[in-house]
Amino acid sequence: MAELLRIDSEKFGLVLSGGGARGAYQIGVWKAMHELGLDRRVKAVAGTSVGAINTALFLQGDVDRAVEAWLSVHPEQVLPLDPRAQLRRVLRRFGLGAHGWVQELARIGLFTRHGLNELIDKYIDLDRVSKSRIPAWVTCRRVPPAFGGRPPWLSPPGDDIEYLQLNYEPPERIRAFLLASSAIPLVFGAQLIDGVEYVDGGVGLPADHTPVTPVYEYGCETIIIVYTERRQKLDLSRFPGARFIEVLPSRSLGGVRGTFDFSSAGIRSRMQLGYDDARRVFGAAG
């Protein structure tokens, strides 16, 4: 691994999987990369869901700011429930029946986006993200009209996965891209962009929880993948010619429960594990 990291590649890529609160692990990995000087070699980055939020943080180039952002998070901020407002919206479609209610809840979500917008406003400089010279993509899934008669996680295969590039977009459009990529059905509502509704690109089939494709197609010779669970590990034979460095959690980050564990202790623990795992994978700078 040390020999691989000494390669003077012009195009290192970074790929960040989705995983909700488990995304704190990626910040620990970034901290290790920063200490080893590896983050400065990254020429393209892509992320899904929380990996999209971390992608925007990465483009700012300030790992300490990213750590601060994550440590500021609390569950009530990220998942603020407004049951009365959501119930009113569902009741407007009273005649939908049980299946229709599931579809409608998937479209509008159970939680509001106020907390996530506050975090973006405080910790992500959208103008700076727009002007970054590092190409960056976030993964979203286009929702067919009325979900094509199905909830979004059961949509039929097609060209509904999109990689939306953040660079040179207006700040509020970048915000919409980040909200779309993090729109987990039933948790958050779909995000409207150019008249089309989008949700988390890592949900359902087809899906892209770990978006290697855009950085691979950009031409990155060496690609670092940061997973948030071992089961996310990919079949990398689909990307011939590229060299891969995979950072996987050495122990479970909590599965589904960990996805929504935004406790301070949980975030600190995952950051530390990411840091330790990355130092081991990267061979302590070789």
Side-chain angles (χ1 to χ4, degrees), residues 7-278:
I7 296 172
D8 186 20
S9 171
E10 293 184 359
K11 289 186 178 179
F12 254 59
L14 177 64
V15 176
L16 304 174
S17 292
R22 292 176 289 163
Y25 178 86
Q26 296 170 343
I27 303 302
V29 173
W30 178 13
K31 184 177 179 180
M33 291 175 61
H34 180 71
E35 290 181 359
L36 301 173
L38 294 176
D39 57 345
R40 295 189 292 274
R41 297 176 64 181
V42 171
K43 305 302 181 184
V45 59
T48 296
S49 196
V50 73
I53 301 297
N54 285 340
T55 291
L57 289 169
F58 185 86
L59 292 185
Q60 297 181 137
D62 188 342
V63 67
D64 292 333
R65 183 71 167 165
V67 170
E68 179 186 346
W70 270 92
L71 292 179
S72 77
V73 172
H74 53 85
E76 296 78 12
Q77 180 182 29
V78 177
L79 299 172
L81 181 63
D82 188 355
R84 289 179 297 179
Q86 302 306 72
L87 180 60
R88 285 196 299 269
R89 295 180 67 182
V90 173
L91 287 176
R92 293 172 189 164
R93 305 289 294 277
F94 187 78
L96 288 174
H99 180 67
W101 275 44
V102 171
Q103 288 189 348
E104 189 64 8
L105 280 173
R107 182 182 297 280
I108 67 175
L110 289 170
F111 298 89
T112 71
R113 311 300 283 277
H114 300 316
L116 184 53
N117 272 308
E118 287 177 357
L119 285 170
I120 291 173
D121 288 339
K122 186 172 182 179
Y123 290 104
I124 298 179
D125 184 337
L126 297 173
D127 187 62
R128 185 172 180 180
V129 170
S130 176
K131 294 176 180 177
S132 174
R133 295 184 178 181
I134 300 174
W137 297 265
V138 299
T139 312
C140 301
R141 181 174 187 156
R142 198 168 57 251
V143 180
F147 298 156
R150 305 184 183 191
W153 54 88
L154 293 178
S155 295
D159 297 326
D160 50 351
I161 295 296
E162 293 189 14
Y163 305 108
L164 306 179
Q165 188 167 359
L166 302 181
N167 310 84
Y168 311 116
E169 292 286 354
E172 287 309 305
R173 190 170 174 84
I174 293 174
R175 181 195 301 273
F177 289 179
L178 297 178
L179 294 177
S181 188
S182 59
I184 305 171
L186 293 180
V187 178
F188 296 119
Q191 179 68 33
L192 189 66
I193 302 173
D194 297 334
V196 178
E197 289 184 319
Y198 289 88
V199 294
D200 187 332
V203 175
L205 294 173
D208 197 345
H209 206 275
T210 308
V212 172
T213 298
V215 297
Y216 175 75
E217 292 183 348
Y218 180 69
C220 292
E221 298 98 340
T222 300
I223 299 174
I224 299 170
I225 302 176
V226 186
Y227 301 98
T228 57
E229 283 295 341
R230 300 188 72 85
R231 61 184 174 78
Q232 294 168 349
K233 200 171 188 309
L234 299 178
D235 174 12
L236 299 177
S237 64
R238 298 184 290 119
F239 306 100
R243 295 179 291 268
F244 290 94
I245 304 171
E246 297 177 280
V247 184
L248 293 95
S250 55
R251 58 176 171 78
S252 174
L253 298 182
V256 174
R257 182 178 179 181
T259 299
F260 301 102
D261 176 17
F262 287 93
S263 67
S264 177
I267 288 172
R268 289 180 183 276
S269 175
R270 295 182 191 101
M271 277 190 192
Q272 186 62 51
L273 186 65
Y275 177 84
D276 293 340
D277 286 348

